[in-house]
């Protein structure tokens, strides 16, 4: 005899008559859509239901229409009288927290009945997911159709997410949701990793009058009664021992069974599905319900599609045993045959059967570190978005503002997070740095405060970082700046964030600087002229413009070279053209034929790294025709090189006796820009003639920003630092107080100006190492101004102009920084000097430069201002 279980057999939901006082340890029983905080015991089942408030944050409660409700529908289970619908959002999820926690095995059941709750009389279709796995596409036959589905799954995390996804065919809803903890040893599958099993059929064989749901079933399974007309049903009232294994089918189910009416026939049943790759597991429950005589034998073999699954099964009387296949049954047609074996003389028996289909899903849950990070971000900022379930999955239903990278075999990774205008407050959360695949991070237009944290540097794949519209302060971390410079990162910040991060932030770095500078100072003696041509590249029309709070991206066209390219362009560092504190400078040629100077950080001077980096960063940020610009840099295997265009005419040191005023003006303009054009202001800290470079056209440029420092903000007028600089040029007040402000540069510039006028170095070795200010002061005291003027000018100079220049240098080098002039005033004064010179008319060509520089016009009354000779007698830097 053969019977067929039809596909999509409906579960029978019968009216339960008995109230069971059930042990419901670990049960989660949600009557979805019931009034808030409404807990009740269902009179039919004895199960305690709760409302869904603590399991879901979205959705609205609805009652089914009265037509389908009690008393019009006397047998409607109470949980189905209301439901929760989700008109908003594509994905809404319940979060269930099983008692057993992570790795526990649980059965989850979801129930749906439409009942025309919305009055539309239109049956919706939607998808039900467990985590990222499509569990069931929910469809209804009519408004009173009850769809019930069960899944058995191991908890991969502390919680299960049961999600309803709107597929555009109506608003999803749910009527009931239940979780039952299972014994972890049952419902085994062959794979090491447990695969979720969706219930296909569960039958209580041989009895048609049961409720299907029994208090003796510790797992609260629903058993559909079934019997075939060709089967005889057997019943016993004797208790069945179900303690033999963990499956524990309830007594009521095991007390009934069926045997074929024709004793020579088998018990057969079959089912089919459309998917030929569908995988099934079956669980067969046997118990003999009679005590056989001595000469009787009940023995049978179970086969699937002619393939024997279990041989010589002999069920014991009143004792339950469970048989299941170790390998999945794969295919779309499945015939199970229970046939008595050769030695049997009584027909086979079957008491119950469960058929489960493996949930096939190629979807993987999001990379767990990403999940942890984004959960942390959600709770930290109390993000008011429907961020539920898996952040990336299912595909196409990632969290709002999150985009993921889905690869076939690896868990999805979060690569994009847009939290723009999300009312974020407080600091930038550290957990963001754990989203290590992040490529785009938009935190703009929030109320974030505090610094831009260093930990953002960990996001090595970040291509876009938008922090505009926040109240962030402080400095941009170095590596972010560096990546922004090299074009790897599009960094958008409010311009007030801009700061020279290298030096204002990290106190520990400064401590290292002292020994470096000590050795640097000795090396400076052998510092050869850097020969660099300065390209005029003036991007910002007016430096003042950058002071308004405009928003601007730091981007750069400067090129990053590999070490190999650097080696190549310098012909393997063949021609050294200079040597500095941090390494040597080599002549090189770019592919386009342009000559360059390559400043290479020597491997031995690892301490110089910070200053090197500092210079690279500064060069990136400042553009002025009187400041050094550069071609690019190399940072390869910790070997750093800066590439400048080649300067044909050496530095000021080598031109000290020839170029004068124009050079002074050029240099002053560069410094003026640093002090007053940059926000925040930048203090060069190492102004000296060796750091003023000359182009072919004898344009002077300030170079060597290795020691430069930004003032933290507009309000700050000085900062405390360790004293660094070059002997002879070093501001004595700064040296004493460690209070750094831009007047220290003014002092140094005053020394350079004196060098220009006198043709003498800052420290005059030939005169017993006296300082240039002692030298000048000596003559000025005696009123012998002409004696200090460089002899190379051959007496052909404008005394007024020279006097004015001396006056300026004195005003620059006053002992108290507050009494010193600013670079703007210096610039104005020097321009006056130049004007005086220009009014003298044409000169002979040979003397042109010299005359232009420091001319002498005897007919002008010497307007030598009140010079502060006393203050010039205490030279510094010795
Ligand atoms: C559903 O019905 C119950 C009982 O009749 C009532 O208290 C509740 O307010 C109704 N809920 C909704 C959302 O209409
Ligand atoms: C709804 O569909 C179910 C299953 O097909 C059926 O048993 C029931 O009679 C139908 N009810 C109505 C009111 O059509
Ligand atoms: C079915 O169950 C009801 C109530 O338990 C009982 O009254 C009735 O006799 C049963 N019918 C059969 C055929 O067992
Ligand atoms: C029982 O089944 C066998 C084999 O199918 C058949 O030959 C026999 O006639 C059947 N007996 C009855 C009573 O139907
Ligand atoms: C088994 O033994 C009983 C008597 O104890 C006898 O009536 C019956 O025919 C025997 N059955 C078989 C199949 O041998
Ligand atoms: C299953 O049984 C049916 C009916 O007996 C038969 O037509 C079909 O070929 C069988 N399928 C397999 C795979 O054995
Ligand atoms: C039943 O299974 C046993 C054990 O595997 C085997 O020896 C026997 O031949 C099988 N009988 C039939 C009828 O297939
Ligand atoms: C995701 O969306 C794309 C395009 O809208 C579609 O082709 C694809 O099938 C969707 N994937 C899933 C898993 O829904
Ligand atoms: C996604 O991940 C793969 C593998 O890691 C990588 O090759 C690909 O570039 C990534 N795609 C994006 C858009 O990040
Ligand atoms: C983030 O979202 C905002 C508002 O929806 C949008 O204006 C902005 O362009 C988005 N950012 C990115 C990087 O896509």
């Amino acid at each position: 005899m053969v019977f067929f279980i039809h596909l999509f057999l409906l579960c029978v939901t019968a009216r339960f008559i008995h109230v069971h006082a059930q042990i419901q340890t670990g049960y989660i029983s949600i009557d979805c859509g019931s009034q808030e905080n409404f807990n009740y015991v269902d009179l039919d089942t004895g199960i305690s239901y709760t409302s869904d408030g603590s399991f879901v944050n979205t959705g609205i409660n609805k009652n089914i229409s009265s037509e389908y409700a009690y008393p019009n529908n006397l047998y409607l289970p109470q949980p189905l009288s209301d439901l929760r619908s989700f008109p908003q959002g594509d994905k809404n999820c319940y979060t269930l927290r099983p008692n057993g926690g992570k790795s526990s095995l649980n059965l989850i059941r979801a129930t749906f009945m439409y009942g025309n709750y919305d009055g539309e009389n239109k049956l919706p279709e939607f998808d039900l997911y467990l985590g990222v796995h499509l569990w069931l596409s929910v469809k209804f036959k009519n408004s009173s159709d009850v769809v019930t589905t069960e899944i058995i799954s191991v908890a991969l995390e502390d919680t299960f997410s049961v999600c309803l996804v709107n597929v555009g065919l109506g608003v999803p809803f749910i009527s009931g949701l239940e979780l039952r903890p299972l014994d972890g040893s049952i419902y085994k599958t062959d794979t090491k990793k447990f695969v979720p099993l969706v219930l296909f059929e569960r039958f209580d064989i041989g009895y048609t009058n049961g409720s299907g749901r029994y208090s003796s079933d510790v797992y609260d399974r629903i058993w559909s009664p079934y019997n075939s007309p060709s089967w005889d049903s057997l019943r016993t009232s004797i208790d069945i021992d179900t303690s033999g294994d963990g499956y524990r089918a309830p007594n009521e189910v095991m007390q009934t069974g069926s045997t074929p009416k024709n004793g020579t026939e088998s018990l057969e049943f079959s089912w089919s599905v459309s998917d030929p790759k569908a995988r099934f597991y079956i669980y067969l429950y046997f118990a003999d319900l009679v005590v056989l005589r001595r000469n009787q034998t009940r023995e049978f073999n179970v086969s699937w599609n002619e393939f024997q699954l279990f041989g010589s099964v002999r069920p014991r009387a009143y004792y339950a045993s469970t048989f299941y296949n170790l390998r999945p049954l794969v295919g779309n047609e499945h015939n199970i045959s229970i046939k008595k074996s050769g030695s049997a003389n009584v027909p086979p028996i079957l008491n119950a059967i469960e058929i489960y289909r493996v949930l096939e899903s190629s979807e993987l849950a999001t990379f767990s570190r990403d999940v942890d990070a984004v959960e942390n971000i959600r709770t930290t900022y109390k993000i008011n978005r429907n961020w539920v379930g898996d952040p990336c999955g299912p595909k196409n239903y990632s969290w709002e503002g999150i985009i993921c990278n889905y690869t076939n075999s690896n868990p999805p990774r979060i690569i994009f997070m847009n939290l723009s205008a999300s009312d974020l407050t407080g600091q930038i959360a550290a957990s963001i740095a754990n989203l290590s695949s992040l490529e785009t991070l938009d935190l703009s237009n929030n109320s974030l405060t505090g610094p831009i944290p260093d930990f953002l540097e960990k996001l090595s794949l970040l291509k876009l970082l938008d922090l505009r519209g926040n109240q962030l302060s402080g400095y941009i971390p170095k590596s972010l700046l560096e990546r922004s410079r090299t074009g790897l990162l599009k960094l958008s910040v409010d311009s007030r964030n801009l700061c020279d991060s290298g030096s204002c932030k990290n106190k520990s770095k400064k401590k290292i600087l002292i020994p470096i500078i000590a050795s640097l100072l000795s090396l400076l003696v052998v510092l050869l002229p850097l020969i660099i041509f300065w390209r005029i590249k003036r991007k910002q029309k007016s430096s003042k413009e950058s002071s308004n709070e405009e928003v601007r991206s730091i981007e750069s066209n400067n090129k990053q070279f590999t070490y190999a390219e650097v080696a190549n362009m310098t012909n393997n560092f063949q021609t050294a053209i200079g040597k500095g504190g941090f390494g040597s400078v080599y002549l090189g040629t770019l592919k386009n034929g342009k000559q360059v100077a390559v400043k290479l950080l020597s491997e031995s001077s690892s301490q110089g790294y910070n200053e090197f980096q500092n210079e690279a960063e500064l060069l990136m940020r400042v553009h002025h025709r009187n400041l050094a610009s550069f071609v690019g840099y190399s940072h390869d295997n910790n070997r750093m090189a800066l590439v400048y265009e080649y300067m044909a005419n050496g530095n000021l040191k080598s031109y000290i006796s020839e170029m004068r005023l124009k050079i002074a003006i050029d240099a002053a303009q560069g410094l003026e820009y640093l002090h007053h054009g940059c926000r925040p202001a930048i203090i060069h800290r190492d102004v000296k003639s060796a750091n003023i470079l000359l182009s072919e056209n004898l344009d002077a440029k300030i170079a060597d920003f290795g020691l430069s420092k930004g003032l933290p903000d507009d309000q700050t007028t000085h900062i405390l630092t360790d004293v660094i600089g070059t002997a002879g040029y070093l501001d004595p007040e700064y040296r004493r107080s460690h209070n750094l402000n831009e007047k220290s540069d003014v002092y140094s510039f005053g020394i350079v100006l004196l060098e220009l006028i006198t043709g003498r170095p800052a420290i005059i070795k030939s005169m017993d190492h006296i300082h240039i200010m002692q030298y000048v002061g000596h003559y000025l005291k005696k009123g012998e101004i002409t004696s200090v003027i460089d002899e190379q000018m051959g007496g052909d100079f404008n005394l007024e102009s020279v006097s004015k220049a001396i006056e300026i240098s004195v005003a620059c080098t006053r002992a108290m920084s507050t009494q010193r002039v600013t670079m703007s005033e210096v610039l104005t004064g020097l321009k006056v000097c130049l004007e005086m010179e220009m009014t003298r008319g044409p000169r002979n060509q040979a003397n042109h430069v010299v005359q232009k520089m420091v001319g002498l016009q005897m007919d002008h009354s010497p307007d030598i201002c009140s010079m502060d000779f006393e203050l010039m007698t205490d030279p510094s830097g010795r």
Side-chain angles (χ1 to χ4, degrees):
M1 273 169 275
V2 172
F3 73 91
F4 294 96
I5 298 169
H6 298 288
L7 196 59
F8 303 127
L9 253 181
L10 274 179
C11 290
V12 176
T13 311
R15 180 73 173 171
F16 309 125
I17 293 144
H18 303 291
V19 176
H20 301 287
Q22 209 159 4
I23 299 163
Q24 298 172 26
T25 311
Y27 281 24
I28 297 173
S29 309
I30 307 167
D31 176 359
C32 306
S34 70
Q35 290 160 272
E36 219 175 308
N37 301 321
F38 180 57
N39 303 329
Y40 65 93
V41 173
D42 181 12
L43 294 182
D44 296 329
T45 59
I47 290 171
S48 304
Y49 283 91
T50 57
S51 47
D52 35 21
S54 58
F55 305 96
V56 69
N57 295 321
T58 51
I60 48 175
N61 290 344
K62 291 282 188 179
N63 287 334
I64 61 166
S65 86
S66 61
E67 186 187 343
Y68 301 95
Y70 186 89
N72 293 330
N73 182 354
L74 274 176
Y75 301 108
L76 185 76
Q78 190 171 349
L80 300 185
S81 60
D82 46 29
L83 52 86
R84 197 168 182 92
S85 84
F86 299 93
Q88 289 189 330
D90 284 343
K91 181 175 85 172
N92 290 277
C93 303
Y94 281 78
T95 304
L96 305 181
R97 194 170 290 276
N99 255 6
K102 199 169 168 171
S103 305
S104 63
L105 187 67
N106 296 271
L107 179 150
I108 301 168
R109 177 165 47 227
T111 313
F112 309 85
M113 185 183 130
Y114 171 60
N116 194 24
Y117 76 89
D118 52 3
E120 306 263 318
N121 249 322
K122 197 156 174 277
L123 299 170
E125 284 181 34
F126 49 88
D127 284 349
L128 176 68
Y129 279 82
L130 181 67
V132 297
H133 307 299
L134 177 60
W135 172 358
L136 181 72
S137 286
V138 181
K139 292 177 182 137
F140 302 93
K141 293 193 173 66
N142 54 48
S143 292
S144 54
D145 189 12
V146 177
V147 172
T148 301
T149 180
E150 286 183 18
I151 196 166
I152 290 175
S153 180
V154 164
L156 297 176
E157 300 298 332
D158 293 337
T159 59
F160 284 107
S161 291
V162 177
C163 302
L164 297 151
V165 169
N166 190 330
V167 294
L169 297 169
V171 174
F173 71 86
I174 186 166
S175 307
L177 187 59
E178 296 161 303
L179 178 143
R180 309 291 181 239
L182 299 178
D183 180 332
S185 69
I186 61 174
Y187 298 113
K188 286 256 168 62
T189 56
D190 66 331
T191 46
K192 286 206 186 78
K193 238 174 102 185
F194 187 88
V195 290
L197 298 174
V198 177
L199 181 66
F200 187 74
E201 295 293 355
R202 183 189 290 126
F203 288 120
D204 173 7
I205 303 289
Y207 188 52
T208 53
N209 203 17
S211 70
R213 204 165 181 179
Y214 306 98
S215 61
S216 63
D217 188 345
V218 289
Y219 308 133
D220 187 31
R221 288 163 290 196
I222 296 174
W223 302 83
S224 308
Y226 186 84
N227 200 28
S228 161
S230 52
W231 295 351
D232 278 333
S233 65
L234 301 180
R235 276 195 80 177
T236 180
S237 52
I238 296 172
D239 280 354
I240 309 291
D241 182 353
T242 58
S243 64
D245 54 39
Y247 290 90
R248 301 175 70 181
N251 204 30
E252 291 88 336
V253 168
M254 293 307 294
Q255 279 173 328
T256 63
S258 286
T259 56
K261 275 187 173 140
N262 181 337
T264 59
E265 286 281 349
S266 331
L267 285 169
E268 291 189 359
F269 55 91
S270 59
W271 72 93
S272 62
V273 290
S274 54
D275 179 8
K277 287 186 190 146
R279 295 186 292 159
F280 290 90
Y281 285 90
I282 58 170
Y283 301 84
L284 301 169
Y285 295 81
F286 301 109
D288 212 325
L289 302 179
V290 291
V291 180
L292 297 174
R293 293 202 195 91
R294 232 170 263 272
N295 61 0
Q296 288 181 313
T297 305
R298 199 192 303 278
E299 189 187 86
F300 45 85
N301 295 354
V302 180
S303 56
W304 165 77
N305 293 358
E306 313 297 324
F307 172 82
Q308 184 168 310
L309 294 177
F310 321 111
S312 310
V313 179
R314 285 188 186 205
R316 285 164 64 187
Y318 315 122
Y319 185 88
S321 52
T322 313
F323 288 79
Y324 54 91
N325 50 310
L326 296 166
R327 295 269 171 81
L329 310 177
V330 186
N332 50 356
E333 271 196 55
H334 302 265
N335 293 343
I336 302 288
S337 169
I338 303 172
K339 194 176 186 179
K340 75 176 188 188
S341 67
S343 50
N345 50 16
V346 288
I349 188 170
L350 177 65
N351 305 61
I353 183 170
E354 288 181 273
I355 306 169
Y356 289 91
R357 184 173 171 174
V358 173
L359 180 65
E360 308 289 350
S361 174
S362 56
E363 294 253 10
L364 291 168
T366 306
F367 187 65
S368 64
R369 262 174 68 95
D370 283 5
V371 176
D372 294 345
V374 86
E375 286 284 0
N376 189 297
I377 291 163
R378 186 178 60 131
T379 47
T380 302
Y381 293 123
K382 301 187 175 65
I383 287 172
N384 188 21
R385 286 188 188 180
N386 190 16
W387 275 16
V388 287
D390 189 88
C392 294
K395 233 180 237 176
N396 295 0
Y397 298 102
S398 59
W399 288 357
E400 184 193 344
I402 282 178
I403 295 177
C404 306
N405 183 5
Y406 303 91
T407 46
N408 283 342
S409 46
N410 298 318
R413 300 296 308 264
I414 295 174
I415 57 169
F416 175 105
M417 186 161 74
N418 189 348
L419 287 175
S420 179
S422 301
D423 298 325
L424 311 187
T425 55
Q427 305 217 338
I428 294 178
S431 38
I432 289 176
N434 293 337
L435 295 172
S436 54
S437 285
L438 208 57
E439 294 172 8
T440 302
L441 177 59
D442 189 343
L443 297 175
S444 62
N445 300 321
N446 287 295
S447 307
L448 293 169
T449 52
I452 299 173
D454 284 342
F455 56 66
L456 290 179
E457 297 176 359
K458 282 201 266 174
L459 300 174
S460 60
L461 299 176
L462 205 60
K463 295 193 180 89
L464 188 150
L465 176 60
D466 194 341
L467 299 172
R468 293 174 294 177
N470 286 292
Q471 283 90 57
L472 295 166
S473 56
Y475 312 99
I476 302 167
K478 265 185 181 181
S479 82
L480 292 182
L481 264 185
E482 186 177 312
R483 276 159 57 200
S484 146
R485 255 198 332 258
T486 53
L488 292 173
L489 174 70
K490 185 177 181 329
L491 177 61
S492 301
V493 291
D494 297 332
S495 62
R496 62 169 170 257
N497 284 328
L498 281 175
C499 180
D500 167 16
S501 62
S503 39
C504 5
K505 190 185 50 184
N506 200 334
K507 291 270 183 237
S508 63
K509 279 177 191 161
K510 283 163 209 147
K511 300 224 162 59
I512 310 167
L513 275 180
I514 307 166
I516 303 167
I517 295 312
S519 61
L520 173 73
L521 293 179
S522 58
L523 273 168
L524 281 171
V525 179
V526 293
L527 184 83
L528 295 176
L530 285 183
I531 305 170
I532 291 172
F533 170 78
W534 300 100
R535 206 175 65 196
I536 295 167
K537 191 164 80 178
R538 200 171 179 192
K539 277 186 179 167
Q540 282 102 355
K541 280 167 268 152
S542 162
S543 53
K544 292 278 182 331
E545 277 171 21
S546 63
S547 64
N548 62 31
E549 294 282 272
E550 68 171 10
V551 160
R552 150 161 69 97
S553 290
I554 309 166
E555 274 167 291
S556 164
N557 305 322
N558 288 290
K559 195 168 176 337
Q560 183 166 17
F561 297 102
T562 64
Y563 188 75
E565 283 172 318
V566 169
N568 195 28
M569 73 175 73
T570 56
N571 203 1
N572 249 329
F573 308 102
Q574 197 181 36
T575 316
I577 52 174
K579 188 162 169 52
F582 311 123
S584 298
V585 183
Y586 299 91
L587 184 65
T589 312
L590 291 180
K591 285 205 181 88
N592 62 12
K594 223 173 236 175
Q595 286 200 301
V596 289
V598 177
K599 190 175 177 184
L600 186 72
L601 180 68
S602 62
E603 277 173 84
S604 57
S605 99
S606 60
Q607 311 101 309
Y609 177 85
N610 289 335
E611 291 74 62
F612 216 78
Q613 178 110 342
N614 191 21
E615 177 162 7
E617 275 170 22
L618 255 142
L619 287 170
M620 266 312 302
R621 288 175 39 202
V622 295
H623 298 288
H624 187 276
R625 66 191 160 88
N626 293 118
L627 289 179
S629 58
F630 83 144
V631 176
Y633 77 105
S634 164
H635 184 185
D636 208 1
N637 296 328
N638 282 331
R639 283 177 297 194
M640 290 192 70
L642 298 177
V643 182
Y644 306 86
E645 282 190 55
Y646 183 69
M647 291 286 269
N649 274 317
N651 66 13
L652 180 56
K653 202 171 177 182
S654 48
Y655 276 75
I656 195 79
S657 341
E658 288 158 305
M659 279 296 289
R660 306 291 151 106
L661 197 49
K662 188 177 168 294
I663 290 166
I665 288 173
D666 283 351
Q669 270 170 344
L671 273 184
E672 200 265 345
Y673 170 74
L674 287 181
H675 291 177
H676 307 298
C678 290
R679 289 296 165 106
I682 291 166
I683 303 172
H684 186 286
R685 292 216 286 180
D686 203 13
V687 175
K688 55 184 176 183
S689 45
N691 281 340
I692 295 171
L693 309 181
L694 300 175
S695 75
E696 272 169 328
N697 309 328
L698 298 178
D699 290 324
K701 316 268 182 177
I702 292 176
D704 221 323
F705 294 91
L707 305 178
S708 299
K709 186 177 274 298
L711 283 177
D713 61 53
D714 296 349
Q715 277 73 48
T716 313
T717 53
H718 69 265
I719 45 176
L720 270 176
T721 70
D722 293 320
V723 174
I724 52 175
T726 300
Y729 299 90
L730 184 63
D731 169 14
E733 185 189 86
Y734 166 49
R735 185 162 166 263
R736 218 172 26 244
S737 68
H738 295 206
N739 269 343
L740 178 67
N741 65 35
E742 85 278 1
K743 295 290 182 65
S744 300
D745 280 354
V746 173
Y747 178 91
S748 306
F749 183 80
I751 301 298
V752 171
L753 202 52
L754 286 179
E755 289 181 293
L756 278 166
I757 294 163
T758 62
R760 308 257 176 198
I763 292 170
I764 306 166
K765 282 188 217 158
S766 60
M767 295 181 184
D768 203 16
H769 290 88
I770 65 162
H771 189 262
I772 192 167
M773 283 180 69
Q774 278 180 305
Y775 170 81
V776 173
H778 172 77
Y779 288 104
L780 291 186
K781 264 185 191 164
K782 294 196 278 179
E784 297 175 16
I785 291 174
T786 48
S787 302
V788 300
I789 299 171
D790 190 356
E791 286 163 15
Q792 286 198 23
M793 288 195 233
D796 182 13
F797 48 78
N798 178 333
L799 185 57
E800 191 191 7
S801 178
V802 174
S803 303
K804 176 92 183 157
I806 291 175
E807 181 193 348
I808 293 165
S809 67
V810 168
C812 287
T813 51
R814 293 204 174 101
M816 287 172 72
S817 63
T818 50
Q819 292 178 352
R820 291 176 204 151
V821 288
T822 64
M823 280 319 294
S824 305
E825 289 166 325
V826 169
L827 192 54
T828 312
L830 288 173
K831 280 177 178 167
V832 171
C833 294
L834 186 59
E835 242 168 64
M836 293 171 184
E837 175 56 31
M838 298 295 243
T839 54
R840 292 182 67 207
R843 297 280 157 149
N844 86 52
Q845 279 303 311
N847 248 349
H848 175 74
V849 171
V850 175
Q851 287 158 349
K852 221 180 155 186
M853 282 303 306
V854 193
L856 178 69
Q857 217 171 1
M858 294 299 281
D859 48 323
H860 280 228
S861 58
D863 184 24
I864 300 175
C865 21
S866 48
M867 275 190 251
D868 193 351
F869 296 120
E870 291 82 21
L871 291 169
M872 296 185 67
T873 55
D874 176 28
S876 62
R878 289 203 297 173

